[in-house]
Amino acid sequence: MTTKISYPDPDRGPIWARRLRGMRRGLNKARPLVVEGKLTRIVGLTLEAVGCRAAVGARCIVSGNRDTRVDSEVVGFAGEKLYLMPTGNIRGLAPGARVTPTGEDTRVSVGPGLLGRVIDGAGQPLDGKAPVHGVTRVPLHGHTTNPLQRALITEQLDVGVRAINSLLTIGRGQRAGIFAASGAGKSVLLGMMTRFTEADVIVVGLIGERSREVKEFIENNLGREGLSRAIVVATPADRPPLLRQHGAMLATAIAEYFRDQGKHVLLLMDSLTRYAQAQREIALAVGEPPATRGFPPSVFANIPLLVERAGTGPQDSGTITAFYTVLTEGDGEYDPLAECARAVLDAHIVLSPRLAESGHYPAIDIEASISRIMTEIVSTEHLDAVRRFRQLYSMYEQNRDLINVGAYARGSDPRVDEAISYHPRLTGFLQQNMREAVNMADSIETLLATLKTRAK
């Protein structure tokens, strides 16, 4: 006969009984079980794993021989197979390597401790300094903002560049694109705005560009004083595509944090094209079919997801004014990436290779450039002056060939005669030394003075 001993108080009784009850209570809790899988195949940069389950976007650790540990992210699945994309070097991995899901999405460190630091797409220091402190962890992919809760753009932003301040006025919280072919001066213009723009915090994302440009940008464009209020996220072209993509999202997540703290943030990303190309590499690697000019549909879906995270926040928060460089095709053919960027950005600053080749800097093509917010944040007098400037400049450009070959006779058209007389002053107004800063008030005053007095 077996006697069952019961204890009215669950916390009393023999120690073995208390432990047994604790184990049973623990087993009844809905805790996710980590089931390890194994690596079965590597195709290009894609890792295939079986035996484990994880959601798209979840982190996994792939452990190989000789203490090799590769951080990766789930980018797709097919049946029992998981497709992983690594963020580091896969050298040393072999068939059967252990794949361990972490059970969480990718999170990154943001906070004041990052000011003055240079980090990579995973948030690791590149500047050789001590580990980053004073940070908090947030989701890499950010959060969606209700469009009705965004504050309106009502304040002008002084970027220190005369042509932009006066003719393409940017507002705080605006998203602008710098469109140019290779060698037209995108980095030079970006460096000028980095030094001269009025902002509480500057976040720079150097995505997929040349490695040598990272140090050059920090020393020549930011300098020691500029770096003290800046954060640089650098993922050069030799990094895996997922890390390049994470670099752009990390820079945006850092800017979101400071915006939520009430700061006015300047986000500079060079370049949006390299971000899209990284997404293309990932999509093609997991089998997504190409659609337009070799780009899968997910590329055009991800660009708005990234860009829409910038801008204004709720009424009591700060702003993110973002500038994205976009590399355009030099042959004049249809460029799907550039067209997608134009559709989601609030301003287009187009740089002309012809102007750059002639020594005209910044090489801004005023005819092709526009700021969609400008009409809402400038005075009527300022807007009238901009229209007048554009009319004179465009009239000269339309007749440039006739004027240059001497086929135009003065007196044939009063409008062309007026454009010819003004043209030297207009061209001089658009040019600016890269080390010279021109504030908003001086830019507008110079514009009005240029149009008031006709050149001889």
Side-chain angles (χ1 to χ4, degrees):
M1 180 176 180
T2 303
T3 302
K4 182 178 180 180
I5 302 176
S6 61
Y7 298 92
D9 188 350
D11 294 327
R12 299 184 60 185
I15 187 171
W16 61 266
R18 297 200 303 271
R19 288 178 177 175
L20 181 61
R21 286 192 293 271
M23 292 173 62
R24 287 174 177 170
R25 286 197 298 268
L27 290 175
N28 290 334
K29 291 183 179 180
R31 293 180 179 177
L33 298 178
V34 176
V35 179
E36 293 183 348
K38 64 178 181 179
L39 189 65
T40 60
R41 190 169 68 152
I42 298 178
V43 182
L45 294 177
T46 308
L47 313 180
E48 292 186 8
V50 296
C52 58
R53 292 179 178 272
V56 173
R59 291 179 60 246
C60 293
I61 304 297
V62 184
S63 305
N65 299 328
R66 300 179 182 178
D67 297 329
T68 302
R69 287 171 56 87
V70 179
D71 198 357
S72 61
E73 181 178 304
V74 179
V75 294
F77 59 86
E80 297 298 322
K81 294 181 180 179
L82 284 183
Y83 297 136
L84 310 175
M85 189 65 63
T87 60
N89 195 333
I90 62 176
R91 190 180 303 276
L93 295 181
R98 188 168 67 252
V99 179
T100 307
T102 63
E104 61 179 14
D105 292 339
T106 304
R107 301 179 73 86
V108 292
S109 298
V110 300
L114 291 174
L115 287 171
R117 303 300 302 269
V118 183
I119 59 177
D120 64 9
Q124 299 301 317
L126 291 176
D127 49 16
K129 299 180 181 179
V132 178
H133 297 288
V135 294
T136 184
R137 303 283 287 179
V138 299
L140 177 65
H141 294 82
H143 57 274
T144 303
T145 303
N146 187 327
L148 296 183
Q149 294 180 353
R150 287 185 182 269
L152 296 177
I153 299 176
T154 58
E155 186 179 353
Q156 299 176 5
L157 177 69
D158 187 352
V159 300
V161 181
R162 180 168 51 236
I164 297 177
N165 279 346
S166 58
L167 303 175
L168 304 167
T169 309
I170 301 295
R172 288 195 183 274
Q174 191 168 350
R175 288 84 52 93
I178 302 175
F179 296 79
S182 179
K186 298 187 302 298
S187 299
V188 174
L189 180 59
L190 209 64
M192 293 175 67
M193 290 189 291
T194 303
R195 291 191 301 273
F196 304 149
T197 302
E198 295 179 353
D200 299 323
V201 178
I202 299 174
V203 182
V204 181
L206 302 177
I207 312 301
E209 297 298 324
R210 293 175 286 271
S211 297
R212 68 168 179 81
E213 292 183 340
V214 177
K215 189 172 183 179
E216 289 180 359
F217 189 90
I218 294 172
E219 295 188 357
N220 298 337
N221 296 328
L222 277 177
R224 181 175 299 179
E225 182 179 353
L227 185 59
S228 63
R229 63 187 180 110
I231 302 165
V232 179
V233 182
T235 52
D238 60 343
R239 300 303 191 267
L242 186 63
L243 195 62
R244 281 179 266 142
Q245 190 183 54
H246 281 186
M249 292 189 287
L250 172 58
T252 306
I254 295 172
E256 286 176 321
Y257 168 83
F258 286 103
R259 177 185 62 187
D260 294 341
Q261 302 299 313
K263 304 292 186 181
H264 294 298
V265 183
L266 175 65
L267 173 61
L268 305 171
M269 192 168 296
D270 188 12
S271 69
L272 189 64
T273 302
R274 305 305 184 195
Y275 167 80
Q277 290 174 345
Q279 173 60 27
R280 177 177 63 179
E281 294 177 38
I282 296 172
L284 294 177
V286 298
E288 185 179 352
T292 307
R293 295 283 292 272
F295 289 96
S298 62
V299 173
F300 304 106
N302 279 0
I303 289 178
L305 290 179
L306 180 70
V307 171
E308 284 295 331
R309 292 171 61 181
T312 58
Q315 193 66 40
D316 297 330
S317 66
T319 60
I320 301 175
T321 306
F323 289 88
Y324 303 90
T325 64
V326 181
L327 185 63
T328 57
E329 298 286 349
D331 53 8
E333 295 182 4
Y334 170 71
D335 187 344
L337 283 183
E339 293 304 316
C340 179
R342 289 176 189 273
V344 297
L345 294 172
D346 304 321
H348 314 144
I349 301 173
V350 181
L351 303 185
S352 168
R354 178 182 61 82
L355 292 176
E357 292 167 0
S358 65
H360 180 125
Y361 287 103
I364 299 176
D365 185 348
I366 292 299
E367 289 185 289
S369 304
I370 189 173
S371 174
R372 295 173 177 168
I373 306 295
M374 182 175 180
T375 56
E376 306 295 329
I377 58 176
V378 303
S379 65
T380 302
E381 182 185 17
H382 183 182
L383 201 59
D384 290 341
V386 172
R387 289 172 180 157
R388 173 73 171 154
F389 188 102
R390 284 181 173 273
Q391 290 170 356
L392 292 170
Y393 190 86
S394 179
M395 181 61 64
Y396 183 91
E397 292 299 320
Q398 292 173 12
N399 295 273
R400 170 184 288 274
D401 293 339
L402 294 176
I403 297 171
N404 288 341
V405 300
Y408 176 77
R410 283 186 175 270
S412 302
D413 190 333
R415 297 175 302 172
V416 179
D417 293 341
E418 186 180 31
I420 292 174
S421 64
Y422 269 105
H423 188 259
R425 294 173 65 89
L426 303 185
T427 303
F429 175 84
L430 294 174
Q431 297 184 57
Q432 182 177 334
N433 188 286
M434 62 179 296
R435 297 294 177 183
E436 173 193 6
V438 182
N439 61 36
M440 180 69 71
D442 290 343
S443 299
I444 298 173
E445 182 180 352
T446 305
L447 172 64
L448 297 175
T450 299
L451 297 174
K452 187 175 182 180
T453 305
R454 178 181 298 192
K456 296 181 180 180

